[in-house]
């Protein structure tokens, strides 16, 4: 089977056994606890105290493979589900990240092979970084070096807060540089929603988790990546590869509005090297938008990006947008072990 025939799932989570065991030991959110004969997961401070059911589908690799078989998925890029390591101290986060990255490498490296001729396994992973307040940059760079040395880990999963101040935090500059140089994909995923201020927007009616999940998560991603773009991160690190969860939230729909606002704002109008729509086209997007029309729209937005680049070209179309996303995944799966560029990692 050639790569062009593979169905690859880039947005699929797990709690590795070590992580699940760690959550069972906790008495505060996030934690796994038992109610009656059932294990329950609690990851948000403001969610119902009963939490949600959690079982082997979270940590049993056989269950993951059964799910893939059921849905015709050839390869999955697995990542730890939120809240990652955000609740830990810097030393604890660094230690657990090291262990979980090694665990994830073993989880993937010993998975079945889907293409013997290409040497492609059914499972690959996005590793964890110790992105917590007050962590040292050297501690983060050390884990980036670890991940880049693990041949079945193709990138990192990251929340929208970085080390506490967002993705435009100057403290993250060495991190962006290292991730660009090692060519690790950054899978940007929401967790925090829109904060306490969103409660007024959600209103008093009980709508379960619909508004925070359907609206809050995508908007969280949109704001986070827009702050990164406005900070000029892509101008300084043009080789950075960022994959946005949930098809980039609202960013594709608002990209032309964003470009217009930038061009008319005296604070930022001369800050960036390119039109905002060019940066939007450099990003990568998963297909978790639940509709073919929505996915087609995202591909349209990506496809037009060439018209706004440093050397403007003919405006692309939907097919060129899909090719952009597909090309990156093929490169990631074909990348052999031990060829990461490590310049500047200290």
């Amino acid at each position: 089977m050639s790569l062009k025939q593979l169905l690859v799932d880039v947005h699929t989570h797990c709690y590795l056994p070590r992580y699940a065991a760690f959550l069972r030991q906790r008495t505060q959110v996030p934690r796994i606890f038992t109610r009656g004969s059932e294990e329950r997961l609690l990851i948000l401070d403001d969610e119902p105290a009963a939490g949600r059911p959690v079982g082997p589908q979270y940590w049993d690799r056989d269950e993951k493979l059964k799910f893939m078989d059921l849905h015709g998925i050839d390869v999955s890029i697995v990542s730890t589900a939120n809240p990652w390591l955000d609740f830990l101290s810097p030393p604890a986060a660094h230690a657990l990240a090291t262990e979980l990255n090694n665990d994830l490498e073993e989880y993937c490296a010993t998975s079945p092979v889907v293409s013997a001729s290409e040497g492609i396994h059914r499972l690959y992973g996005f590793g964890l970084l110790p992105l917590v307040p007050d962590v040292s940059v050297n501690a983060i760079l050390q884990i980036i070096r670890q991940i880049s040395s693990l041949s079945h880990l193709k990138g990192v999963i990251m929340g929208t807060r970085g080390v506490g101040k967002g993705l435009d935090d100057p403290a993250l500059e060495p991190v962006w540089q290292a991730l660009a140089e090692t060519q690790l994909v950054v899978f940007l995923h929401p967790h925090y929603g829109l904060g306490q201020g969103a409660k007024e927007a959600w209103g008093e009616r009980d709508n379960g988790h619909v508004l925070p999940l359907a609206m809050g998560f995508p908007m969280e991603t949109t704001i986070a990546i827009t702050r990164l773009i406005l900070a000029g991160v892509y101008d300084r690190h043009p080789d950075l590869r960022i994959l946005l969860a949930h098809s980039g939230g609202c960013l594709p729909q608002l990209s032309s509005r964003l470009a217009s606002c930038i061009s008319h704002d005296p604070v930022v109008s001369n800050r960036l090297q390119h039109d905002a729509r060019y940066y939007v086209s450099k990003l990568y997007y998963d297909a978790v938008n639940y509709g073919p029309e929505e996915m087609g729209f995202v591909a349209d937005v990506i496809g037009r990006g060439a018209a706004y680049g440093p050397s403007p070209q003919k405006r692309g179309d939907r097919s060129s947008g899909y090719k952009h996303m597909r090309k990156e995944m093929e490169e990631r799966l074909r990348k052999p072990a031990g060829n990461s560029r490590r310049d500047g990692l200290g």
Side-chain angles (χ1 to χ4, degrees):
M1 180 182 291
S2 72
L3 276 179
K4 293 186 182 300
Q5 296 174 308
L6 294 179
L7 181 61
V8 180
D9 184 359
V10 299
H11 188 160
T12 180
H13 299 306
C14 71
Y15 285 154
L16 293 170
R18 186 189 304 273
Y19 189 84
F22 185 81
L23 293 183
R24 291 188 186 99
Q25 297 172 5
R26 291 179 52 82
T27 57
Q28 296 179 315
V29 176
R31 68 190 187 101
I32 291 176
F33 62 97
T34 301
R35 190 181 70 175
S37 60
E38 182 182 52
E39 284 196 307
R40 311 284 294 188
L41 171 67
L42 196 61
I43 63 171
L44 299 171
D45 288 321
D46 58 353
E47 69 178 320
R52 65 199 77 182
V54 62
Q57 71 273 20
Y58 278 74
W59 49 77
D60 188 323
R61 188 175 68 180
D62 288 341
E63 292 296 321
K64 177 68 70 180
L65 292 169
K66 287 178 184 177
F67 175 87
M68 293 168 62
D69 290 340
L70 177 65
H71 296 283
I73 298 168
D74 298 299
V75 177
S76 286
I77 316 294
V78 182
S79 54
T80 298
N82 46 310
W84 313 294
L85 308 172
D86 295 16
F87 52 94
L88 298 175
S89 67
H94 184 274
L96 191 55
T98 302
E99 294 173 335
L100 288 173
N101 289 334
N102 286 329
D103 290 349
L104 185 57
E105 171 68 14
E106 178 71 12
Y107 178 97
C108 298
T110 58
S111 68
V113 174
V114 67
S115 173
S117 61
E118 296 275 3
I120 296 174
H121 286 258
R122 297 201 66 187
L123 295 171
Y124 292 87
F126 292 133
L128 284 170
L129 298 177
L131 296 172
V132 296
D134 300 321
V135 68
S136 72
V137 170
N138 284 337
I140 301 174
L141 297 183
Q142 184 180 21
I143 299 300
I144 292 177
R145 286 196 296 270
Q146 178 209 17
I147 293 172
S148 68
S149 72
L150 300 173
S151 62
H152 293 81
L153 301 193
K154 301 301 181 180
V156 303
I157 185 168
M158 181 183 293
T160 59
R161 289 184 178 175
V163 292
K165 297 182 179 179
L167 304 185
D168 53 0
D169 184 354
L172 291 175
E173 276 299 299
V175 176
W176 299 131
Q177 179 180 349
L179 290 168
E181 289 176 345
T182 55
Q183 300 181 3
L184 292 172
V185 174
V186 179
F187 181 27
L188 184 63
H189 194 287
H191 170 65
Y192 316 97
L194 300 181
Q196 295 298 314
K199 289 186 176 181
E200 181 179 354
W202 301 152
E204 297 181 358
R205 181 183 295 274
D206 183 3
N207 291 308
H209 283 96
V210 171
L211 289 170
L213 290 179
M215 306 296 170
F217 266 25
M219 186 55 70
E220 176 190 343
T221 302
T222 303
I223 294 171
I225 193 61
T226 301
R227 286 175 58 180
L228 180 146
I229 291 171
L230 289 174
V233 171
Y234 260 114
D235 289 336
R236 295 187 294 277
H237 309 288
D239 293 329
L240 195 61
R241 291 172 165 88
I242 298 181
L243 167 66
L244 299 182
H246 313 120
S247 294
C250 313
L251 184 64
Q253 177 66 44
L254 297 177
S255 56
S256 289
R257 180 180 178 87
L258 173 63
S260 177
C261 289
I262 291 172
S263 67
H264 291 90
D265 193 299
V267 175
V268 297
S269 59
N270 295 316
R271 183 186 297 172
L272 303 178
Q273 295 178 8
H274 309 293
D275 185 287
R277 287 165 287 194
Y278 169 70
Y279 304 107
V280 170
S281 74
K282 282 177 64 66
L283 296 161
Y284 298 91
Y285 303 80
D286 69 13
V288 185
N289 49 40
Y290 304 98
E293 295 82 8
E294 288 82 357
M295 193 67 251
F297 174 79
V298 173
D300 286 340
V301 170
I302 298 170
R304 72 180 180 193
Y308 300 101
S311 301
Q313 304 170 29
K314 181 180 178 180
R315 186 186 183 101
D317 57 13
R318 180 171 299 187
S319 63
S320 60
Y322 280 128
K323 287 177 182 176
H324 166 82
M325 292 184 281
R326 185 75 197 182
K327 180 175 182 290
E328 172 64 18
M329 187 50 57
E330 290 183 6
E331 289 179 356
R332 293 302 95 199
L333 293 181
R334 282 201 174 103
K335 181 181 177 183
N339 70 341
S340 298
R341 302 206 316 267
R342 298 199 176 121
D343 328 35
L345 290 185

